[in-house]
Amino acid sequence: MRRTVGLVVIAIWMASLPAAASQPGGSFIDDDGSVHESAIEAIRVEGITAGCDLVGDRFCPGMAVTRAELAAFVIRALSESPTPASVGSFADVPPDAWYAGFVERLVSLDLVRGYGDGTFRPDGAVTRGEMAVVLVRMLGESPSPGTGFVDVPSDAFYAGHVQRLAELGVTNGCATDPPRFCPSGAVTRAEMASFLARGLGLDLGSVTPRPSLEGVGLRRVLVASGLDQPLFVAAPAGDDRLFALERGGRVLILRDGEMSSIPFLDLGGLVSTGGEGGALGLAFHPDHAANGLLYVHYTDRDGANRVVEYGLTDDPDLADPDSARLLLTVSQPAANHNGGMIDFGPDGRLYVGIGDGGGAGDPFRHGQNPATRLGTITAVDVASGQAFLFAYGLRNPWRFAWDGLRIYIGDVGQSTREEIDVLSIFEAGSNLGWSVMEGSRCVTAGCSTAGLVLPVVEYTHAEGCSVTGGVVYRGSSVPALVGHYLYGDFCSGFVRTFRYTGEAADARDWQSLRTDGLVSFGTDGHGEVYLVSIHGTVWRIEPST
C-alpha cells in the first residue's frame, strides 16, 4: 500500500542533484543510464505509471509533463481515486477524456487550480515553478517569505513555494553559482518520477538488469512444409492455432504440428497471381474471439488491391466466404508494387500498405501525391469503412507491424537502398520520401530532406535486394529478445534485429536464422515469431541455448 506524503520525510531529486546512473534494466528500454532510472522503476512498481505507450516498455523520460499527466501522477501517488467526471468543471476537459477524473479530483483537493478564463489547459507543460506549488500543497506546507534564488522574483506566485522547498532541503535548484531554480523550465517525466519516488519514500534500490542478448542463441524449428507459396502467417490473440496464407488464396490452419486438409478460407477464384499479385495479407480483428471477423488483402482478377472482411460459419475452423464485405479497393496501373500488409493499430483501425503502382522510378508520380492511395499506408475504420491517409512517400511497403504506439515499416527499395522506417501513431500524414529519396539517398537532383522522415535502418544492395519487414518480439521463450525488432531480406535471407530507443540500438545479425526466400515474419497467438519462406516452409524461432 502506498504511503501518503505526510507520513514520510521528503527528499526530492531534481535534475541538478547528483546521483549514480543505474545499470541498464528495469521495465523501460528508453531510460537506461538515466540518473532517474531507479525512481522511474520505483513508481512503476507502485502503480503510479505504466509507461508512455500501450506496450509499456517506454517511459519517455525526456518529455515534458503535461497538466493532464500531472493530475494522473499525483492522484495515483496519493492513492486517491479519480472523480467520476460526468460533467466537467473545465470547458477544455471533455468528460470522456482519459484524464478528466484525475483533473476533477486534483482540483477538489485544491492541489492545482484552473485558469481565470475557466480552462485547465490539459496539454500545457508543467514548469518547475508550478511544480513547486503543487509539491508544497501536497506536503501540507505553507509558502515561506523571501527567495534564495536569483531567478525567482519575490513577487512571483511560486516564489514562497520554491523557498519553502529549499528550506526543507527538497531542492538545491538548477545551478549554484549564483543559485538559480530555473522556474520557467519544463518538468520532464524523469524528474517527475524522482519528485514522486523521493516524496513517497519509495525504495530506490538497484534496478534489475535487463536480460542481455550476449550468449543467447537462436535457431529455426520447422513447423510446416509443402505449402504452395506461403506469404504470411498470423493468429488471433491467445489462439493456439496458426493460420497460413498462400499466394493463391487459400488460408490453412496449423494445429499441433498438423496442417488442415480443408482450407479455413479459399479465395482462389477471386485472386490474381500475375506479377507481384496474390493473396498478400491476413489480419484478425482484435475482438475476433467475440465477433469472428478477419481480413484479407489480395489482388483481384483485374489486378486491383482489395481488402475484404469475412466472418465465420458455425464452425470456428471455417470462414464464411458468403460473408464478404469489401472495405477498400485501389486500382493498380501495373502488376508490381502492390504492397499487401494489413495490421490493426492501437487506435483499432486496420492499416493497409499499398505500393506506388509499379514501374521504375515512380513513372506515375504517386509517391509524392498524398491524394492517391498508392504509395501509402492507409488506415481504415472497419466499422464505417472510412479510410484515412496515415503515411505516404512509400515505394512498396511489403511488410510492416504495429508495436504499441509505433509502426515499423519495411519499404522495398529500387536499385541501391532498402529501409526500415519507424513512426508513432501521432505522426499521421508523414512523408517517407519516395520518390525524392531512396532511403537516405537523393533520387532527384538537388533534393531536400526538409519535411521528410528518413529511415532508422537502411542497407545497400551489396547486402540484399528486397527488405522483408518484420515484427517486434513479444513472446516468452526468449526473454532477452523482448522489445527487439526482427527484419530480413528476401534475396540474401539474412535475419537481423535491433531495439528502437529513438535510434537502432543493439543491432545483431543472426546467421543461424538465414532463410532462403524470406517473404514474411509472423506471430502466433502468444507472441512467438515465425519465418515464412516462399519455397513452402514455415519456421518458428526458438532459443538454442
Side-chain angles (χ1 to χ4, degrees), residues 222-445:
L222 184 67
V223 296
S225 61
L227 293 165
D228 184 9
Q229 297 188 76
L231 293 185
F232 196 63
V233 294
D239 203 302
D240 291 331
R241 299 169 295 173
L242 186 68
F243 296 75
L245 174 69
E246 294 180 328
R247 187 181 181 193
R250 292 197 309 170
V251 180
L252 302 175
I253 296 176
L254 178 66
R255 179 192 281 112
D256 298 327
E258 297 293 330
M259 191 66 71
S260 60
S261 57
I262 300 175
F264 172 72
L265 180 65
D266 191 345
L267 304 177
L270 304 175
V271 175
S272 167
T273 57
E276 295 177 359
L280 307 174
L282 172 68
F284 291 89
H285 195 284
D287 293 326
H288 175 81
N291 61 31
L293 297 179
L294 62 136
Y295 303 83
V296 182
H297 186 183
Y298 66 88
T299 52
D300 65 17
R301 289 296 182 178
D302 295 323
N305 288 68
R306 283 181 173 249
V307 178
V308 183
E309 177 188 87
Y310 291 93
L312 298 177
T313 64
D314 291 337
D315 184 346
D317 285 347
L318 291 175
D320 181 3
D322 295 329
S323 65
R325 180 171 74 99
L326 180 65
L327 289 181
L328 183 70
T329 182
V330 179
S331 297
Q332 285 280 357
N336 60 344
H337 300 185
N338 297 295
M341 185 66 190
I342 50 177
D343 190 26
F344 276 92
D347 56 355
R349 293 172 177 169
L350 183 65
Y351 285 73
V352 181
I354 308 169
D356 68 3
D362 191 17
F364 303 105
R365 311 265 56 94
H366 291 145
Q368 290 299 301
N369 179 9
T372 178
R373 298 289 178 205
L374 295 167
T376 73
I377 291 178
T378 293
V380 180
D381 183 320
V382 296
S384 68
Q386 187 175 2
F388 311 84
L389 175 70
F390 177 72
Y392 68 105
L394 291 145
R395 183 175 180 272
N396 192 25
W398 168 242
R399 292 292 178 240
F400 63 81
W402 279 99
D403 181 60
L405 300 180
R406 286 190 172 88
I407 185 172
Y408 294 70
I409 306 165
D411 193 20
V412 179
Q414 181 166 275
S415 59
T416 63
R417 305 288 179 95
E418 304 298 310
E419 67 182 89
I420 301 292
D421 304 288
V422 180
L423 298 172
S424 82
I425 197 169
F426 305 111
E427 295 178 283
S430 289
N431 181 354
L432 299 183
W434 176 256
S435 55
V436 173
M437 311 284 295
E438 182 185 9
S440 63
R441 168 186 169 270
C442 281
V443 174
T444 60

Side-chain angles (χ1 to χ4, degrees), residues 125-174:
V126 179
T127 68
R128 287 166 58 91
E130 292 170 332
M131 177 57 72
V133 174
V134 175
L135 287 174
V136 169
R137 290 173 180 167
M138 284 177 63
L139 298 173
E141 296 284 342
S142 300
S144 297
T147 177
F149 300 97
V150 297
D151 59 349
V152 175
S154 59
D155 59 350
F157 74 91
Y158 51 78
H161 301 83
V162 171
Q163 183 62 23
R164 186 58 182 150
L165 291 183
E167 293 171 354
L168 292 170
V170 169
T171 181
N172 291 326
C174 63

Side-chain angles (χ1 to χ4, degrees), residues 36 50 110 199 227 258 346 475 496:
H36 303 281
D110 199 29
L227 293 165
E258 297 293 330
R496 296 173 177 173

